[in-house]
Amino acid sequence: MATISTQTLSSTSSQKTQTSSSGKGKKYRLLYFNIEGKAEAIRLLFAYAGVQFEDYRFKDRAEFMSLKESGRLQFGQVPALEIENGDQTIVLTQTSAILRYLGKEFKPELELYPMTDSLLAAKIDAIVDQRADAYTGLSVAKYKERFGFDFLNDQSDLTEIAMANWYANILPKHLDMLTKLLQAGGTSWLAGTQQPSIADFVWCQQLKLTAESKPGILDNFPQLTSYIKAFYSLPAISKYYNSSCVIA
Ligand SMILES: N[C@@H](CCC(=O)N[C@@H](CS)C(=O)NCC(=O)O)C(=O)O
């Protein structure tokens, strides 16, 4: 049974961790802020697969900045997954790359990501990549500096207009496409797989966050609401949260 430890930074720096391993002798340590954010889909993948990992959360921004400045993060961002394998430690970054890697590492019978079916892999990749496309507008509006739009920082009315437009006109198009994908696949999952693939971890978590920040946003998409509920009702996922799905 999985034991998922939520460590704070102080314990990690002293190496007094409960880092644990998968059945293959690897030790996993996930580095992120103390929020769900982009790390949550990875945490859920570990929980679903019953693989232990250290859920390392920065105690403050300064701790993250010191890691960023150390150069250990490939692109200066998190989530990052440290994989200790014998005397070698590798740090992976980019959420979707981490999910693909773990999807291939975990028990094959879970079929999280195909090992040999390149076509299905491409289909799952496309669905995962679509999340970034769908949310680009919102990200640019929210994180202006990162995209070179900080000169708009004093134009909060423009930000509000951009975000309202995104919620009203852009997001619904993507929600519609997701609904059609579910219908075309004919199963409970986005890639038409019999079991959830990594694409479902990415999207269910993203949609849950969106629904939490904008209650009612999924009201016109009942099939997506059922889809998210099915995901959060998976025994390992509901056990992880110790409660049932909170989606409205
Ligand atoms: N494409 C990357 C984006 C990662 C990302 O945006 N990370 C943010 C936190 S969610 C970050 O590290 N922000 C701090 C910074 O850029 O300094 C992924 O999916 O992992």
Side-chain angles (χ1 to χ4, degrees):
M1 194 54 63
T3 305
I4 297 166
S5 57
T6 303
Q7 299 284 314
T8 55
L9 301 186
S10 48
S11 66
T12 48
S13 49
S14 64
Q15 295 298 310
K16 218 172 26 149
T17 67
Q18 295 169 20
T19 307
S20 44
S21 60
S22 75
K24 297 180 185 174
K26 290 179 183 143
K27 288 181 180 174
Y28 297 110
R29 188 178 185 226
L30 181 64
L31 308 174
Y32 197 65
F33 303 102
N34 190 19
I35 55 169
E36 292 192 14
K38 284 188 179 295
E40 195 72 353
I42 303 170
R43 295 182 185 122
L44 293 179
L45 201 73
F46 274 111
Y48 181 72
V51 173
Q52 295 181 317
F53 73 110
E54 183 189 347
D55 188 2
Y56 186 97
R57 299 172 186 232
F58 303 119
K59 71 173 180 295
D60 52 27
R61 177 119 190 130
E63 186 169 17
F64 163 70
M65 286 311 290
S66 104
L67 176 65
K68 186 177 171 110
E69 280 152 21
S70 76
R72 290 189 70 221
L73 300 171
Q74 198 174 25
F75 301 113
Q77 291 193 312
V78 286
L81 182 69
E82 276 184 4
I83 306 160
E84 198 184 310
N85 194 6
D87 53 7
Q88 214 192 14
T89 300
I90 288 164
V91 183
L92 293 185
T93 58
Q94 287 289 359
T95 311
S96 42
I98 293 169
L99 288 169
R100 284 185 194 107
Y101 167 78
L102 293 176
K104 288 194 268 188
E105 282 287 292
F106 292 165
K107 284 178 250 162
E109 59 268 30
L110 292 177
E111 298 180 340
L112 287 161
Y113 189 77
M115 299 290 286
T116 54
D117 186 341
S118 309
L119 270 180
L120 179 60
K123 187 172 180 183
I124 292 171
D125 289 348
I127 299 169
V128 169
D129 289 350
Q130 186 63 17
R131 192 219 64 85
D133 283 9
Y135 282 78
T136 297
L138 187 66
S139 297
V140 172
K142 277 168 100 172
Y143 309 110
K144 294 187 198 58
E145 288 82 1
R146 195 184 300 172
F147 295 92
F149 290 94
D150 36 332
F151 60 90
L152 290 175
N153 268 342
D154 53 353
Q155 309 262 342
S156 57
D157 52 333
L158 285 184
T159 304
E160 267 172 42
I161 292 169
M163 286 174 70
N165 191 41
W166 184 83
Y167 277 111
N169 299 316
I170 305 301
L171 181 63
K173 286 184 196 158
H174 291 279
L175 297 179
D176 195 43
M177 285 193 267
L178 288 177
T179 301
K180 291 197 171 98
L181 210 51
L182 279 175
Q183 287 164 354
T187 70
S188 302
W189 309 112
L190 282 177
T193 48
Q194 294 305 318
Q195 305 185 80
S197 73
I198 61 163
D200 300 298
F201 284 76
V202 168
W203 270 106
C204 283
Q205 203 263 330
Q206 181 67 69
L207 293 173
K208 181 182 85 97
L209 282 184
T210 305
E212 283 169 355
S213 65
K214 256 306 193 233
I217 196 78
L218 296 178
D219 284 359
N220 293 332
F221 301 90
Q223 203 170 342
L224 286 184
T225 306
S226 308
Y227 161 65
I228 301 164
K229 279 189 172 156
F231 178 83
Y232 282 95
S233 303
L234 290 166
I237 302 295
S238 66
K239 189 171 169 217
Y240 177 77
Y241 289 115
N242 232 349
S243 66
S244 55
C245 180
V246 289
I247 217 83

Short mmCIF file of all heavy atoms in Angstrom, two decimals, residues 32-55:
data_model
loop_
_atom_site.label_atom_id
_atom_site.label_comp_id
_atom_site.label_asym_id
_atom_site.label_seq_id
_atom_site.Cartn_x
_atom_site.Cartn_y
_atom_site.Cartn_z
N TYR A 32 8.08 20.81 -5.26
CA TYR A 32 7.09 21.80 -5.72
C TYR A 32 6.71 22.69 -4.54
O TYR A 32 7.10 22.47 -3.40
CB TYR A 32 5.84 21.09 -6.27
CG TYR A 32 4.96 21.99 -7.12
CD1 TYR A 32 5.43 22.51 -8.33
CD2 TYR A 32 3.67 22.32 -6.72
CE1 TYR A 32 4.62 23.33 -9.11
CE2 TYR A 32 2.86 23.13 -7.50
CZ TYR A 32 3.34 23.64 -8.69
OH TYR A 32 2.56 24.46 -9.46
N PHE A 33 5.89 23.70 -4.87
CA PHE A 33 5.35 24.58 -3.83
C PHE A 33 4.28 23.82 -3.03
O PHE A 33 3.80 22.78 -3.46
CB PHE A 33 4.75 25.84 -4.46
CG PHE A 33 5.74 26.60 -5.30
CD1 PHE A 33 5.73 26.51 -6.69
CD2 PHE A 33 6.73 27.37 -4.70
CE1 PHE A 33 6.65 27.20 -7.47
CE2 PHE A 33 7.65 28.07 -5.48
CZ PHE A 33 7.61 27.98 -6.86
N ASN A 34 3.88 24.42 -1.91
CA ASN A 34 2.90 23.76 -1.06
C ASN A 34 1.46 24.06 -1.53
O ASN A 34 0.63 24.56 -0.77
CB ASN A 34 3.09 24.18 0.40
CG ASN A 34 2.26 23.33 1.34
OD1 ASN A 34 1.82 22.24 0.97
ND2 ASN A 34 2.00 23.82 2.53
N ILE A 35 1.22 23.77 -2.77
CA ILE A 35 -0.11 23.94 -3.38
C ILE A 35 -0.32 22.76 -4.33
O ILE A 35 0.61 22.01 -4.61
CB ILE A 35 -0.23 25.25 -4.19
CG1 ILE A 35 0.88 25.33 -5.25
CG2 ILE A 35 -0.20 26.47 -3.28
CD1 ILE A 35 0.68 26.46 -6.27
N GLU A 36 -1.56 22.63 -4.83
CA GLU A 36 -1.80 21.56 -5.82
C GLU A 36 -1.06 21.88 -7.13
O GLU A 36 -0.19 21.15 -7.55
CB GLU A 36 -3.30 21.41 -6.09
CG GLU A 36 -4.07 20.87 -4.90
CD GLU A 36 -5.48 20.45 -5.27
OE1 GLU A 36 -5.80 20.34 -6.46
OE2 GLU A 36 -6.27 20.25 -4.34
N GLY A 37 -1.45 22.99 -7.77
CA GLY A 37 -0.77 23.46 -8.97
C GLY A 37 -0.44 22.36 -9.96
O GLY A 37 -1.21 21.42 -10.16
N LYS A 38 0.71 22.52 -10.59
CA LYS A 38 1.10 21.58 -11.64
C LYS A 38 1.60 20.25 -11.08
O LYS A 38 1.72 19.28 -11.82
CB LYS A 38 2.18 22.20 -12.52
CG LYS A 38 1.64 23.24 -13.47
CD LYS A 38 2.69 23.68 -14.45
CE LYS A 38 2.15 24.71 -15.42
NZ LYS A 38 1.11 24.20 -16.30
N ALA A 39 1.90 20.21 -9.79
CA ALA A 39 2.43 18.96 -9.23
C ALA A 39 1.33 17.94 -8.92
O ALA A 39 1.61 16.74 -8.81
CB ALA A 39 3.21 19.25 -7.95
N GLU A 40 0.09 18.42 -8.80
CA GLU A 40 -0.93 17.53 -8.25
C GLU A 40 -1.20 16.31 -9.15
O GLU A 40 -1.42 15.20 -8.64
CB GLU A 40 -2.22 18.31 -8.01
CG GLU A 40 -3.22 17.59 -7.11
CD GLU A 40 -2.81 17.54 -5.64
OE1 GLU A 40 -1.69 17.95 -5.30
OE2 GLU A 40 -3.63 17.07 -4.84
N ALA A 41 -1.17 16.50 -10.46
CA ALA A 41 -1.41 15.36 -11.35
C ALA A 41 -0.33 14.29 -11.12
O ALA A 41 -0.59 13.09 -11.20
CB ALA A 41 -1.42 15.81 -12.80
N ILE A 42 0.89 14.74 -10.84
CA ILE A 42 1.99 13.79 -10.59
C ILE A 42 1.77 13.08 -9.26
O ILE A 42 1.92 11.86 -9.15
CB ILE A 42 3.35 14.52 -10.62
CG1 ILE A 42 3.54 15.23 -11.96
CG2 ILE A 42 4.50 13.55 -10.36
CD1 ILE A 42 4.73 16.19 -12.02
N ARG A 43 1.40 13.87 -8.24
CA ARG A 43 1.11 13.25 -6.93
C ARG A 43 0.01 12.19 -7.08
O ARG A 43 0.09 11.10 -6.51
CB ARG A 43 0.66 14.32 -5.93
CG ARG A 43 1.73 15.35 -5.59
CD ARG A 43 1.22 16.34 -4.54
NE ARG A 43 2.18 17.40 -4.30
CZ ARG A 43 1.91 18.71 -4.47
NH1 ARG A 43 0.71 19.12 -4.83
NH2 ARG A 43 2.85 19.61 -4.22
N LEU A 44 -1.02 12.54 -7.85
CA LEU A 44 -2.14 11.60 -8.02
C LEU A 44 -1.71 10.35 -8.78
O LEU A 44 -2.21 9.25 -8.51
CB LEU A 44 -3.31 12.29 -8.74
CG LEU A 44 -3.99 13.40 -7.96
CD1 LEU A 44 -5.11 14.04 -8.77
CD2 LEU A 44 -4.55 12.88 -6.63
N LEU A 45 -0.80 10.52 -9.74
CA LEU A 45 -0.31 9.36 -10.48
C LEU A 45 0.41 8.39 -9.54
O LEU A 45 0.23 7.18 -9.61
CB LEU A 45 0.60 9.81 -11.62
CG LEU A 45 0.77 8.81 -12.76
CD1 LEU A 45 -0.48 8.74 -13.62
CD2 LEU A 45 1.95 9.18 -13.65
N PHE A 46 1.23 8.93 -8.66
CA PHE A 46 1.90 8.09 -7.66
C PHE A 46 0.86 7.37 -6.79
O PHE A 46 0.98 6.18 -6.53
CB PHE A 46 2.81 8.94 -6.76
CG PHE A 46 4.19 9.18 -7.30
CD1 PHE A 46 4.58 10.43 -7.72
CD2 PHE A 46 5.12 8.14 -7.37
CE1 PHE A 46 5.87 10.67 -8.21
CE2 PHE A 46 6.41 8.36 -7.85
CZ PHE A 46 6.78 9.63 -8.28
N ALA A 47 -0.14 8.13 -6.33
CA ALA A 47 -1.16 7.55 -5.45
C ALA A 47 -1.91 6.43 -6.16
O ALA A 47 -2.14 5.35 -5.61
CB ALA A 47 -2.14 8.63 -4.99
N TYR A 48 -2.26 6.70 -7.41
CA TYR A 48 -3.03 5.72 -8.20
C TYR A 48 -2.23 4.44 -8.41
O TYR A 48 -2.76 3.33 -8.34
CB TYR A 48 -3.40 6.36 -9.53
CG TYR A 48 -4.21 5.49 -10.46
CD1 TYR A 48 -5.55 5.20 -10.19
CD2 TYR A 48 -3.64 4.97 -11.62
CE1 TYR A 48 -6.31 4.41 -11.05
CE2 TYR A 48 -4.38 4.18 -12.48
CZ TYR A 48 -5.71 3.91 -12.20
OH TYR A 48 -6.44 3.14 -13.05
N ALA A 49 -0.94 4.61 -8.68
CA ALA A 49 -0.09 3.44 -8.95
C ALA A 49 0.37 2.76 -7.67
O ALA A 49 0.95 1.68 -7.72
CB ALA A 49 1.13 3.87 -9.78
N GLY A 50 0.11 3.39 -6.51
CA GLY A 50 0.54 2.79 -5.24
C GLY A 50 2.05 2.79 -5.10
O GLY A 50 2.62 1.89 -4.48
N VAL A 51 2.69 3.79 -5.67
CA VAL A 51 4.16 3.88 -5.59
C VAL A 51 4.53 5.01 -4.62
O VAL A 51 3.98 6.11 -4.71
CB VAL A 51 4.78 4.14 -6.98
CG1 VAL A 51 6.28 4.41 -6.87
CG2 VAL A 51 4.53 2.95 -7.89
N GLN A 52 5.44 4.71 -3.75
CA GLN A 52 5.81 5.69 -2.74
C GLN A 52 6.73 6.76 -3.32
O GLN A 52 7.53 6.50 -4.22
CB GLN A 52 6.53 4.99 -1.59
CG GLN A 52 5.60 4.05 -0.85
CD GLN A 52 6.28 3.37 0.31
OE1 GLN A 52 7.42 2.92 0.18
NE2 GLN A 52 5.62 3.28 1.43
N PHE A 53 6.60 7.95 -2.76
CA PHE A 53 7.48 9.05 -3.17
C PHE A 53 7.52 10.06 -2.04
O PHE A 53 6.68 10.05 -1.15
CB PHE A 53 6.96 9.72 -4.45
CG PHE A 53 5.73 10.57 -4.27
CD1 PHE A 53 5.81 11.95 -4.38
CD2 PHE A 53 4.51 10.01 -3.96
CE1 PHE A 53 4.68 12.75 -4.21
CE2 PHE A 53 3.37 10.80 -3.78
CZ PHE A 53 3.46 12.16 -3.91
N GLU A 54 8.51 10.92 -2.11
CA GLU A 54 8.56 12.00 -1.12
C GLU A 54 7.95 13.25 -1.74
O GLU A 54 8.40 13.72 -2.78
CB GLU A 54 10.01 12.28 -0.70
CG GLU A 54 10.06 13.36 0.37
CD GLU A 54 11.46 13.84 0.68
OE1 GLU A 54 12.42 13.18 0.24
OE2 GLU A 54 11.58 14.88 1.34
N ASP A 55 6.93 13.75 -1.08
CA ASP A 55 6.20 14.92 -1.58
C ASP A 55 6.81 16.17 -0.93
O ASP A 55 6.32 16.68 0.06
CB ASP A 55 4.73 14.75 -1.20
CG ASP A 55 3.86 15.81 -1.85
OD1 ASP A 55 4.37 16.64 -2.61
OD2 ASP A 55 2.64 15.79 -1.58
#
